[in-house]
Amino acid sequence: MKDCSQCLVRNRAICAGLDHDELEVLGKLGRKQKVTKGQTLVWEGDDSLVVANVIEGVLKVSMSISDGREQIVGMVFSSDFIGRPFGQQSPYSVTALTDAELCIFSRAAFDGFARQHPELEHKLLRRTLDELDRTREWMLLLGKKTATERIATLLLEMSSRLGETGCAANETELNEFELPLDRQQIGDVLGLTIETVSRQLSKLKADGIINLPDRRRVSIQNRQRLQNLAAAA
Amino acid sequence: MKDCSQCLVRNRAICAGLDHDELEVLGKLGRKQKVTKGQTLVWEGDDSLVVANVIEGVLKVSMSISDGREQIVGMVFSSDFIGRPFGQQSPYSVTALTDAELCIFSRAAFDGFARQHPELEHKLLRRTLDELDRTREWMLLLGKKTATERIATLLLEMSSRLGETGCAANETELNEFELPLDRQQIGDVLGLTIETVSRQLSKLKADGIINLPDRRRVSIQNRQRLQNLAAAA
DNA sequence: TTGCTTGGTTGATCTGAATCAAAGAGCGTT
DNA sequence: AACGCTCTTTGATTCAGATCAACCAAGCAA
């Protein structure tokens, strides 16, 4: 890697907080890599060979049953961490939903570096705890929420996570954004079929709560009503 | 705390690996506490004041929607860690499913100790990563599996987790065990109603796959068929 | 212009699990 | 042994979302 100090996610990824020398060592272990939309970086069940920071783009984390049913179990955004450190196999696949740019490390090398840099492990721990919280929130959605509640929750979550910039002064809830998911993928996140997703979105549009300028764009017309529908905890 | 060296989970909990002096310091921060079945230790949304190691017993981690719908998002067994370190609020409740014995720490004190003991944080990180894997596996269940598959998966999971002793030479898959959950709670783990749970269990019994000696006991008669029904990934 | 492809919508019908309703079964108390 | 309690099972009915089946719209190639 050329120069971590110029990295787009320098202050938001887990490498933030490392000093100049440490960054130099870590930088030698990693390499920048572009992946294209649809490309799978890690396959469920395969040896866990790489981990990475996301510099730019959105990826999905998914698990599936042998007959083809698939569930998206996580979404990874700019500055987030990808992969399964300290584990022989990856229990899930990681696939790019948009073109993306990553900072990739061999898992073994990263594990070794991490064990020697408590500050890095601490950041990774905090991130993992946050991810666990989000995942549990999603379990509540999958176990107990109705189709309408699920769609509303997803739109609000995307509005919020796509608006994150890492800069505390600049946390926006976007009112218009481009979904990094097609209808099938929305279904795979929410535990619904493509038809149900489509119907629910059409309903929200008919009710004037959202607008759908094109296949991928969503514009929130009435956030309050959307929040009511999401049946927040 | 009197003496960590005598602790039942000495070699399995996250404190394993600390040396004598460290253990003494940590021991002074913690206290043993018994909780009775049904008692709630941490309330969803409240300040995260305590964390703990489970010495003995089983607890549930749950989240709910304001109208009362509840989802169990995790189960905690002997030697597991409870609570939300490094966070102001706890996003979930923790409630004892059986009488239990805990080793409790104030969250703030534990956070401080952890930050100064990388080995402890490392153990906590590994545990959190494992818990995240299990949680994602459960998302697949909630999003995509049928009622039959869910019940079969739960029975196999309980058989395996109740059989864990921490001693690698002694990992058993129990063929008969006592469920720490009543029917309602099974429903709350699986995203099903109590009636569906009851019907599915009756069906498995009628098919000779399991036996139900009493309300809480389960005895697996044909593990292979149960595994087939679970539709493993 | 036509045809083809991919992704999305809409309608009709079906079904697995929820809901509604009523019995049982086990158990401690009097 | 009769009562009240909680938990569980079983049966009848309903319904949200799945499935099956057209159809539509945008992009693009020839």
Side-chain angles (χ1 to χ4, degrees):
Chain A
M1 193 121 21
K2 294 286 171 43
D3 187 359
C4 290
S5 67
Q6 297 304 307
C7 180
L8 267 174
V9 295
R10 171 81 185 85
N11 298 305
R12 299 151 56 204
I14 50 169
C15 16
L18 294 176
D19 68 28
H20 181 75
D21 293 350
E22 292 170 321
L23 215 50
E24 192 147 321
V25 177
L26 185 62
K28 288 215 175 81
L29 297 176
R31 63 179 202 282
K32 274 198 191 172
Q33 184 172 317
K34 301 207 173 190
V35 294
T36 57
K37 182 171 166 170
Q39 193 179 335
T40 294
L41 194 72
V42 178
W43 295 92
E44 180 178 353
D46 277 11
D47 283 345
S48 172
L49 296 176
V50 298
V51 298
N53 282 312
V54 180
I55 297 170
E56 185 81 64
V58 185
L59 300 91
K60 68 171 180 176
V61 180
S62 61
M63 300 180 81
S64 55
I65 305 177
S66 43
D67 63 9
R69 283 174 281 174
E70 173 176 322
Q71 176 69 39
I72 294 179
V73 297
M75 301 194 48
V76 189
F77 295 83
S78 170
S79 90
D80 287 345
F81 182 83
I82 294 179
R84 179 50 164 100
F86 308 116
Q88 209 48 53
Q89 273 104 34
S90 172
Y92 41 75
S93 301
V94 178
T95 305
L97 291 171
T98 64
D99 288 348
E101 192 173 3
L102 309 175
C103 171
I104 293 199
F105 306 91
S106 103
R107 198 211 89 234
F110 179 86
D111 284 0
F113 183 87
R115 294 240 44 179
Q116 288 169 281
H117 294 85
E119 186 56 29
L120 182 73
E121 280 212 337
H122 178 75
K123 288 232 160 55
L124 189 53
L125 173 57
R126 279 176 172 265
R127 231 167 237 280
T128 308
L129 286 164
D130 284 345
E131 185 63 24
L132 183 57
D133 288 349
R134 261 198 299 272
T135 305
R136 285 173 161 168
E137 186 83 49
W138 224 251
M139 275 182 83
L140 174 62
L141 175 145
L142 292 172
K144 290 277 141 57
K145 291 193 181 180
T146 64
T148 308
E149 289 166 347
R150 292 180 198 203
I151 290 279
T153 304
L154 177 74
L155 293 178
L156 291 168
E157 167 91 359
M158 293 305 303
S159 149
S160 152
R161 293 197 71 190
L162 288 169
E164 282 172 17
T165 59
C167 173
N170 197 7
E171 293 306 297
T172 19
E173 310 245 277
L174 295 176
N175 275 328
E176 183 165 341
F177 53 88
E178 183 117 356
L179 282 171
L181 306 156
D182 63 27
R183 297 292 187 266
Q184 179 61 56
Q185 290 162 338
I186 296 176
D188 290 341
V189 185
L190 297 178
L192 300 171
T193 57
I194 188 172
E195 295 94 332
T196 300
V197 169
S198 180
R199 276 185 250 272
Q200 292 293 334
L201 286 172
S202 299
K203 181 75 173 20
L204 288 177
K205 182 179 177 182
D207 292 349
I209 296 172
I210 61 169
N211 218 336
L212 300 166
D214 71 43
R215 297 182 164 193
R216 292 288 188 134
R217 287 201 86 70
V218 175
S219 139
I220 298 176
Q221 303 295 315
N222 190 331
R223 181 172 291 267
Q224 187 55 55
R225 283 179 68 197
L226 197 56
Q227 278 161 347
N228 294 151
L229 288 179
Chain B
M1 193 119 23
K2 296 282 169 44
D3 188 359
C4 290
S5 66
Q6 297 303 308
C7 181
L8 268 174
V9 296
R10 172 78 184 87
N11 296 306
R12 299 149 57 203
I14 50 169
C15 14
L18 295 176
D19 68 30
H20 181 76
D21 292 350
E22 292 171 322
L23 216 50
E24 191 147 324
V25 177
L26 186 61
K28 288 216 177 81
L29 297 177
R31 62 178 200 284
K32 274 198 188 170
Q33 185 172 318
K34 300 205 172 192
V35 294
T36 57
K37 183 170 166 171
Q39 194 179 333
T40 294
L41 194 73
V42 178
W43 294 92
E44 179 177 354
D46 278 10
D47 283 344
S48 172
L49 297 176
V50 298
V51 297
N53 282 311
V54 180
I55 297 172
E56 185 79 64
V58 185
L59 298 92
K60 68 171 180 176
V61 181
S62 62
M63 300 181 81
S64 56
I65 305 178
S66 42
D67 62 10
R69 281 173 283 174
E70 172 176 322
Q71 176 69 38
I72 294 180
V73 297
M75 302 194 47
V76 189
F77 295 83
S78 170
S79 89
D80 286 345
F81 181 84
I82 294 179
R84 180 49 164 102
F86 310 115
Q88 209 49 52
Q89 274 104 33
S90 171
Y92 42 74
S93 301
V94 179
T95 304
L97 291 171
T98 64
D99 289 348
E101 191 173 3
L102 309 175
C103 170
I104 294 201
F105 305 92
S106 104
R107 198 211 89 234
F110 178 87
D111 285 1
F113 183 88
R115 293 240 45 177
Q116 287 169 280
H117 294 84
E119 187 56 29
L120 181 74
E121 280 212 336
H122 178 74
K123 289 232 158 54
L124 189 54
L125 173 57
R126 279 175 172 265
R127 232 166 236 281
T128 308
L129 287 164
D130 284 346
E131 184 63 25
L132 182 57
D133 289 349
R134 262 199 298 275
T135 304
R136 285 173 163 168
E137 187 82 48
W138 224 251
M139 275 183 82
L140 175 62
L141 175 146
L142 292 172
K144 290 277 139 61
K145 291 192 180 180
T146 64
T148 308
E149 290 166 347
R150 292 182 199 203
I151 291 278
T153 305
L154 178 76
L155 293 178
L156 291 168
E157 167 92 357
M158 293 305 300
S159 151
S160 151
R161 293 197 72 190
L162 289 170
E164 282 172 18
T165 60
C167 173
N170 197 7
E171 293 305 299
T172 21
E173 310 243 279
L174 295 177
N175 276 328
E176 183 165 341
F177 53 89
E178 182 116 356
L179 281 171
L181 305 156
D182 63 27
R183 298 289 186 268
Q184 179 61 57
Q185 289 162 339
I186 295 176
D188 290 341
V189 185
L190 297 179
L192 300 171
T193 58
I194 189 172
E195 294 94 331
T196 299
V197 170
S198 180
R199 275 185 251 272
Q200 293 293 333
L201 286 172
S202 300
K203 182 76 177 13
L204 288 178
K205 183 180 177 181
D207 291 350
I209 296 172
I210 61 170
N211 217 337
L212 301 167
D214 71 41
R215 296 183 165 193
R216 292 290 186 131
R217 287 200 86 70
V218 176
S219 139
I220 298 176
Q221 302 295 316
N222 189 330
R223 182 173 291 267
Q224 187 55 57
R225 284 178 68 196
L226 196 56
Q227 277 162 349
N228 294 152
L229 288 179

